[in-house]
Amino acid sequence: MTDIPAPIQRMIDATNAGDADAFADAFTEDAYLEDWGKGFHGRDGVRSWDSTDNIGRHSHFEAAGVEQDGDEWVVSLVVTGGGFNGTSDFRFALRDDLIARMSITP
């Protein structure tokens, strides 16, 4: 498996540690997060999603695969916790060693 880029690994580690501040800090100030068609803008939006759908649901991520697709990265994550449970592809665009965009698809 290809190495996961550092900003994405920080987001995964923050989720697994339940560290909401470290999770938000993995994203740019103007980040965009899309979860199955629902969008969240900026770090405040990222924090909102995190509190209702991620760390707020005690999610745990385990990487099952990673690949680079042009300028983006696709990481297949096995998600467990008190919300969604299953495997989804997370697509990332990075900027300045942070996540600028994260899209979650089934």
Side-chain angles (χ1 to χ4, degrees):
M1 180 164 68
T2 302
D3 288 339
I4 297 172
I8 300 169
Q9 188 63 57
R10 286 193 306 268
M11 182 277 301
I12 293 169
D13 293 344
T15 294
N16 294 345
D19 187 338
D21 288 332
F23 179 85
D25 288 345
F27 290 81
T28 62
E29 289 289 338
D30 64 344
Y32 180 72
L33 188 154
E34 183 179 345
D35 184 359
W36 293 34
K38 187 174 179 185
F40 300 84
H41 298 273
R43 275 209 184 129
D44 287 342
V46 167
R47 283 183 184 279
S48 173
W49 176 84
D50 183 47
S51 70
T52 60
D53 292 88
N54 189 41
I55 290 175
R57 296 278 186 163
H58 308 288
S59 292
H60 184 272
F61 294 153
E62 182 177 335
V66 60
E67 65 182 51
Q68 189 168 7
D69 182 14
D71 290 338
E72 297 186 336
W73 291 87
V74 179
V75 181
S76 182
L77 293 175
V78 179
V79 182
T80 56
F84 172 81
N85 284 271
T87 303
S88 284
D89 286 337
F90 287 57
R91 179 174 287 271
F92 297 91
L94 306 177
R95 186 175 74 239
D96 300 329
D97 201 36
L98 296 169
I99 298 167
R101 181 180 176 93
M102 180 173 96
S103 299
I104 307 167
T105 57

